[in-house]
């Protein structure tokens, strides 16, 4: 009986971990999920060398609009769930997407954000909920990623 219960608890913990899409770069790296490894699996949505970009030509503007909509939708979600920043916060993030626009990983650096541990944990919890149910408004024929700074504010 104890073995069955431990097995169920072990499976449940794996399932919970697998559902975590948002994390700090540091926490993700501690669990073996590094930007280096992810970048081998995902192409750049936009790149200085347009030949390396997933989105080319007019699709670049469509991607940009979808990306801006994602950030706006995330802000709306946070606000609807009572989360406030209190002041503008500059964050660097890298978001990894499936070809269908599903968010696989939303990694960010919160070191300079100046949030206490409780606020950071609440933000990551809400960001995980948002990412689990969000689909970017553009698709591609392969996995892709986008990075950059953003200013999060109320």
């Amino acid at each position: 009986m104890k073995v069955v219960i431990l097995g169920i608890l072990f499976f449940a913990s794996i399932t919970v971990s697998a559902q975590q899409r948002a994390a700090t770069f540091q926490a993700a790296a501690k669990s073996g999920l590094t930007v280096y490894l992810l970048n081998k699996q995902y192409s750049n949505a936009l790149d200085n060398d347009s030949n390396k970009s997933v989105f080319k030509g007019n699709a670049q503007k469509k991607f940009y609009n979808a990306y801006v909509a994602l950030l706006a939708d995330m802000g709306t979600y946070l606000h609807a769930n009572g989360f406030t920043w209190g002041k503008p916060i500059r964050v660097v993030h890298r978001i990894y997407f499936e070809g269908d626009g599903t968010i696989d990983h939303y990694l960010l650096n919160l070191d300079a954000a100046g949030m206490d541990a409780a606020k950071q944990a609440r933000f990551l919890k809400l960001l995980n909920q948002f990412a689990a149910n969000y689909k970017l408004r553009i698709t591609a024929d392969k996995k892709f990623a986008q990075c950059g700074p953003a200013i999060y504010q109320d």
Side-chain angles (χ1 to χ4, degrees):
M1 181 69 167
K2 289 181 184 178
V3 173
V4 171
I5 292 172
L6 288 175
I8 291 170
L9 289 174
F10 177 73
F11 179 76
S13 69
I14 290 173
T15 302
V16 169
S17 295
Q19 293 173 351
Q20 298 300 309
R21 297 171 192 259
T24 63
F25 287 109
Q26 298 82 355
K30 284 181 184 175
S31 66
L33 192 64
T34 66
V35 170
Y36 176 76
L37 292 174
L38 289 169
N39 286 349
K40 287 183 173 185
Q41 300 171 36
Y42 297 79
S43 300
N44 288 333
L46 303 176
D47 196 287
N48 288 335
D49 179 351
S50 61
N51 292 322
K52 294 180 181 179
S53 294
V54 171
F55 299 98
K56 299 176 185 342
N58 291 339
Q60 289 182 341
K61 182 169 177 61
K62 290 178 184 176
F63 171 77
Y64 175 79
N65 290 337
Y67 183 70
V68 169
L70 167 117
L71 297 175
D73 292 345
M74 182 187 72
T76 300
Y77 181 83
L78 293 171
H79 180 73
N81 284 279
F83 186 87
T84 58
W85 294 102
K87 63 180 181 177
I89 304 289
R90 186 179 188 276
V91 174
V92 174
H93 59 235
R94 183 148 178 90
I95 309 170
Y96 296 88
F97 300 92
E98 284 292 324
D100 70 356
T102 301
I103 297 172
D104 278 344
H105 307 285
Y106 196 126
L107 303 182
L108 59 169
N109 186 346
L110 296 174
D111 286 347
M115 286 190 275
D116 63 38
K119 187 169 190 165
Q120 182 172 321
R122 182 153 187 269
F123 168 65
L124 288 171
K125 179 182 176 183
L126 289 170
L127 184 54
N128 269 296
Q129 291 169 355
F130 173 79
N133 298 300
Y134 194 85
K135 219 176 231 196
L136 195 65
R137 296 175 190 151
I138 193 168
T139 60
D141 59 357
K142 59 183 168 180
K143 294 180 176 187
F144 57 95
Q146 180 62 30
C147 68
I151 296 178
Y152 296 163
Q153 58 190 352
D154 299 328

